[in-house]
Amino acid sequence: MSPSSHSIGKSHERATEQLRQRWVLGIDLGGTTIKFGLFQGDHLIWRNHIRTEEFDSLDSAFEACRQSVEETLRTSSKDLTDLSAIGLAMAGVLDPKEEALAETANLHRWHHLNFRQQLTDVFKKPVAVLNDADAAALAESVHGLCRAESLVLLTLGTGVGGGVIVNGRPLRGANGCGGEIGHATIQFDQDARLCGCGFPGHLEAYAGSAGVVQTANELMQSSQDESSLNSAKRLTPLAIANAAALGDRVATQTIDQTAIYIGRAISMLAHVLDPEVVLLGGAMNFGGPGTDIGKRFIEGVRAECLPRSLTQISRNLQIEFATLGNDAGIVGAAHFAQQLAEQEGSDSIR
Ligand SMILES: [Zn+2]
C-alpha cells in the first residue's frame, strides 16, 4: 500500500469511526405505546415511552417525542442538531414507496399515514422506516447472543411474524412483504385451516397462538388419553406449556406438532436464504431455553427441519431462541438509522 493510499485509508477509518459515534434516535411504534431510545452509536443512552391514546394525532405524539428527546439531549449539553438520523420500527406491512402502512393488524387508527414524512416534518432529520420484526432481527444480528450477518427471526405470538437480515441489512422486498413467513403456505390439503388473512394453509394458522390452541382441541378430540386441558378455563399456549411440564401427553403432542410445522417452514426458508442463524422470538416460546419443555420445543423444530435440508445447511444452520427482549425494536430501529447515517456520510466522504 502506498503512503498516500494508507493515509486515505486512515482518514476514511476515522470518518467511519466518527459516524459510528453519531447520535441517533430509535422509535418503536406499537398499537398502544411509542417507545423511543436515544443512542450514541449503538449504545443506548436513554429510553422513554408515551401512550398513544393520550394523543389525538400522530403529529402531536411525535411532537411529544421530540420535546422529550430535546430535553434529554440538553442534559448531555447537546441539541437536536447533534442528532444524525431517526429509525422508525412499526408493526404491519409497509408500502415500500410511501412508507405508510399498507396492511396492519393493530395500527388501524393510522392506516395509510406517511410516517416518514410526519417524523421528518417534526424532527427535520433523515428517517429510516422498517417493519418491527425486521428491526428485532437487525437488533439480534448485531447485539444478540447468536450474531450473524445473515439471520432470520420468527416472532411467535398471536401471529407469526418474521424478519430477514441478509449481509447485515433487512430484506424488505419489492412489495414490503419480505420476511412475512407467517403467510407462507405449509398445508395444501382441501381442508387446510384458514389463516387470519383469509387464505388457506398458512403457517400462522398452525403456529400462531390460535392455531396452537386449535391443534390442542383437535388432539383432545382424537386422543384416547385423558388430558388436563379438557378442564382448562381458557386454553392458551402458556396453559398448554404448563400442562406439558406436568406430563400431560396431549399438551406435549400439541407442542411437538407445532414444532413440526415451524421446522418445515424453516427448512423451506433455509433453501432460499441459506442464513447462518434462525431465531425463534416472541411471547410464545413454551417456556423458552430455561425449561425442559422449551428445550423440547426447539429440539423438535431442529429435528424436523435439519433432516429435510441439504447437508451444507443441516451441518451448519443454528436454530436458537432469540435473546433480546422488549428493547429489540428501538435497538434495531437505531441501528438502521445508524446505517442510513453511515450511507449518507460515506456519500459525502466520496
Ligand atoms: Zn395468512
Side-chain angles (χ1 to χ4, degrees):
M1 187 184 277
S2 69
S4 60
S5 68
H6 183 76
S7 64
I8 289 167
K10 279 281 175 207
S11 70
H12 186 86
E13 265 173 37
R14 242 190 335 269
T16 306
E17 186 51 39
Q18 280 169 2
L19 293 173
R20 293 219 173 95
Q21 292 307 313
R22 284 188 172 177
W23 291 71
V24 292
L25 179 67
I27 300 180
D28 185 359
L29 180 66
T32 55
T33 56
I34 302 178
K35 293 181 209 155
F36 43 106
L38 195 55
F39 293 77
Q40 190 175 20
D42 277 335
H43 183 59
L44 177 62
I45 304 289
W46 163 90
R47 71 154 86 72
N48 203 353
H49 70 273
I50 56 175
R51 294 189 62 78
T52 52
E53 63 188 17
E54 292 165 21
F55 300 91
D56 54 9
S57 74
L58 195 58
D59 263 347
S60 57
F62 284 158
E63 178 58 30
C65 286
R66 190 188 63 79
Q67 286 175 16
S68 192
V69 168
E70 214 168 7
E71 279 166 29
T72 307
L73 283 167
R74 217 172 291 137
T75 61
S76 302
S77 305
K78 301 275 176 189
D79 59 37
L80 276 178
T81 57
D82 293 299
L83 199 63
S84 297
I86 296 170
L88 173 69
M90 55 190 184
V93 175
L94 305 180
D95 176 325
K97 291 191 189 75
E98 300 299 325
E99 289 180 331
L101 284 175
E103 281 181 60
T104 177
N106 61 6
L107 290 172
H108 293 297
R109 200 176 142 201
W110 293 327
H111 207 183
H112 290 304
L113 289 179
N114 188 323
F115 295 85
R116 181 213 279 267
Q117 192 57 53
Q118 288 193 277
L119 260 184
T120 308
D121 289 348
V122 171
F123 280 91
K124 315 278 189 263
K125 296 286 168 187
V127 176
V129 184
L130 78 173
N131 168 275
D132 62 346
D134 286 342
L138 191 56
E140 293 284 350
S141 78
V142 286
H143 292 292
L145 264 186
C146 274
R147 297 171 197 178
E149 288 264 292
S150 294
L151 172 148
V152 174
L153 169 72
L154 270 74
T155 56
L156 306 172
T158 308
V160 176
V164 175
I165 305 300
V166 176
N167 298 331
R169 301 227 165 217
L171 180 84
R172 305 160 105 189
N175 302 293
C177 292
E180 287 295 328
I181 299 154
H183 303 286
T185 305
I186 59 154
Q187 287 285 359
F188 298 89
D189 303 341
Q190 283 292 328
D191 59 352
R193 297 177 191 170
L194 268 191
C195 180
C197 71
F199 295 108
H202 288 181
L203 175 64
E204 186 166 301
Y206 295 85
S209 57
V212 174
V213 168
Q214 188 173 340
T215 301
N217 278 322
E218 287 172 7
L219 285 169
M220 274 190 275
Q221 280 172 13
S222 62
S223 175
Q224 306 294 321
D225 295 316
E226 269 301 304
S227 172
S228 62
L229 298 179
N230 279 308
S231 54
K233 264 192 204 148
R234 198 170 150 258
L235 210 48
T236 62
L238 182 61
I240 292 165
N242 290 339
L246 295 172
D248 189 290
R249 279 171 54 90
V250 170
T252 308
Q253 283 168 8
T254 301
I255 293 168
D256 291 348
Q257 188 58 46
T258 304
I260 288 172
Y261 294 134
I262 293 169
R264 286 179 189 169
I266 293 175
S267 179
M268 272 193 285
L269 276 173
H271 291 88
V272 179
L273 299 165
D274 193 7
E276 293 165 64
V277 174
V278 174
L279 298 174
L280 305 181
M284 197 188 77
N285 62 5
F286 300 112
T291 69
D292 288 344
I293 295 299
K295 285 180 199 154
R296 180 187 176 105
F297 168 57
I298 201 157
E299 199 41 62
V301 173
R302 291 182 191 122
E304 181 65 22
C305 170
L306 299 180
R308 289 179 177 276
S309 304
L310 288 175
T311 312
Q312 282 303 316
I313 290 173
S314 60
R315 267 197 206 140
N316 298 303
L317 178 63
Q318 296 179 66
I319 301 175
E320 301 290 346
F321 284 112
T323 52
L324 300 178
N326 277 337
D327 281 343
I330 55 170
V331 171
H335 189 79
F336 199 48
Q338 199 62 249
Q339 288 182 338
L340 175 73
E342 280 178 31
Q343 194 181 325
E344 298 211 330
S346 63
D347 286 347
S348 64
I349 289 168
R350 275 187 223 117

